Amino acid sequence: MSVILGIESSCDETSASVCIDGKIVANIIANQTIHELYGGVVPELASRVHQQNIVPAVHQAINVAKIHKKQIDAVAFTRGPGLLGSLLVGTCFAKAFALANNIPLIEVNHMQAHILAHFIEDPKPTFPFLCLTVSGGHTQIVLVKDYFDMEIVGETLDDAAGEAFDKTAKILGLPYPGGPLVDKHAKLGDPNRFKFPEPQIADLNFSFSGLKTAILYFVRDKVAENPNFLEQNMDDICASVQSRIISILLNKLKKAALQYGIKDVSIAGGVSANSGLRNSINAMAQTEGWNVFIPKFEYCTDNAAMIAIAGYYKFLEKDFVGQDIAPLARMPF
């Protein structure tokens, strides 16, 4: 029996998970609400709250898993990418835990872990498959050839899809975090009411900066004509913006699937929790003949279960690191 403790602290969620023989038996996530006061994540505050949450989260995960800490065979942690101060908390805790219990240490790439979240539960994709990873900081199309043999074939040249959602929410006066609120309003609106541009970017890459600017100017001009425009049209604006972001993502994913001749496609990352994206990729699957894989909501946003499952597969390969390991804000894929 292999027991892996997973630690995630890359941004503003402190999470601990226990994986036993490839099965997640505990996944504790402590969210940080303090950032709502500032309209975005404040790195220094995130680090401080991680320090407060890390020990209780790990303690609770061990209790939920009904194991003793001495039964843990290895500790896996997010080395990067992420906020350096936040990563330091998780890295230092993992190193200390591994040293105190004389067990191996496993580094995990946060973005690779999002993709490996598809292997937490059945059904699982078969290699090779394509994964659209969409989060607040990343938007990538990844060709997944094996558990740790992955190639980025397309990525954003500027803003990520999650940033586009959050910045749109800010322009519309919605509180942070804005992405889920845009999704909520979009469910009630007409996605064809307002037209926003789709950038023409070469190959399989993305760009969202132009869309963000178009939304900003659109809102400015409409509010100048009618001060109550946002209140009167919030649902339709959100639906139209969300529809455009999704079309940008899925048109590139469709192009990649045709280019590589792949039928197994998946989405991962925080934005994969968006209901519009989930519905749209399932609809496209019907016409394209795809097999679509989407993790459960709890495994889409930042969580330690994806770190633990990645750690499990690295444990099988005895892919360990030493105590001299340090976190990386920018980590090569």
Side-chain angles (χ1 to χ4, degrees), residues 240-314:
S240 299
V241 170
Q242 179 165 290
S243 176
R244 175 53 71 212
I245 294 174
I246 291 171
S247 73
I248 292 171
L249 294 170
L250 294 188
N251 286 342
K252 291 290 187 175
L253 183 60
K254 177 181 176 181
K255 184 177 180 180
L258 291 171
Q259 182 174 322
Y260 289 96
I262 289 178
K263 292 296 184 181
D264 277 16
V265 299
S266 62
I267 55 175
V271 180
S272 65
N274 180 278
S275 65
L277 178 58
R278 286 172 170 251
N279 293 336
S280 295
I281 194 172
N282 282 320
M284 184 170 280
Q286 297 296 316
T287 59
E288 299 299 321
W290 290 348
N291 302 311
V292 171
F293 301 88
I294 310 172
K296 282 185 177 180
F297 282 105
E298 66 182 291
Y299 303 135
C300 289
T301 54
D302 292 349
N303 66 92
M306 66 185 194
I307 306 302
I309 198 70
Y312 167 72
Y313 287 111
K314 284 201 168 191

Side-chain angles (χ1 to χ4, degrees), residues 95-170:
K95 289 167 69 173
F97 190 95
L99 187 64
N101 292 281
N102 194 29
I103 57 176
L105 196 58
I106 302 171
E107 66 166 9
V108 175
N109 182 299
H110 180 81
M111 296 310 298
Q112 288 186 349
H114 270 304
I115 296 171
L116 293 176
H118 292 95
F119 294 91
I120 293 175
E121 294 182 338
D122 292 326
K124 301 177 177 70
T126 56
F127 301 115
F129 67 93
L130 285 171
C131 185
L132 173 67
T133 56
V134 276
S135 67
H138 297 82
T139 300
Q140 304 167 332
I141 298 177
V142 181
L143 177 61
V144 187
K145 305 168 189 176
D146 205 339
Y147 294 111
F148 299 102
D149 184 3
M150 307 179 189
E151 177 187 355
I152 298 174
V153 296
E155 60 187 333
T156 183
L157 303 178
D158 40 60
D159 289 354
E163 287 179 280
F165 274 111
D166 287 338
K167 289 178 180 178
T168 294
K170 193 169 185 177

